[in-house]
Amino acid sequence: RQRQMCKETATGAGDYFAAGFLYGLTCGYSLEKCGKIGSLLSKDVIQVVGTELQVAQWEKIKEEILLIN
């Protein structure tokens, strides 16, 4: 029997990782930095219910990306 998932339980962590990784690639970052950006985004989205991050969280993410080597 297949388990049905509620909309609220879908974290989107994989989608956010892919988005962060691809963002890094388009910026010309190393594969290592791309992976770190993807991990950063997926880490943040699993801490909220649903898949939307608040504007303040996005601002924090932007700052953290700049600090990644």
Side-chain angles (χ1 to χ4, degrees):
R1 182 169 80 155
Q2 187 175 8
R3 191 172 175 192
Q4 195 171 24
M5 188 182 309
C6 297
K7 180 181 175 185
E8 289 80 21
T9 61
T11 63
D15 293 335
Y16 272 71
F17 179 88
F21 190 90
L22 292 173
Y23 166 78
L25 279 180
T26 62
C27 290
Y29 297 144
S30 69
L31 293 179
E32 181 179 359
K33 184 168 182 172
C34 293
K36 288 179 180 180
I37 294 171
S39 293
L40 174 67
L41 266 64
S42 60
K43 168 191 72 84
D44 287 338
V45 75
I46 64 172
Q47 295 181 39
V48 297
V49 175
T51 59
E52 292 185 36
L53 297 175
Q54 300 297 317
V55 173
Q57 187 62 34
W58 282 112
E59 294 303 319
K60 182 180 172 204
I61 289 168
K62 289 178 195 177
E63 292 173 8
E64 290 177 346
I65 288 173
L66 295 175
L67 299 175
I68 296 174
N69 294 325

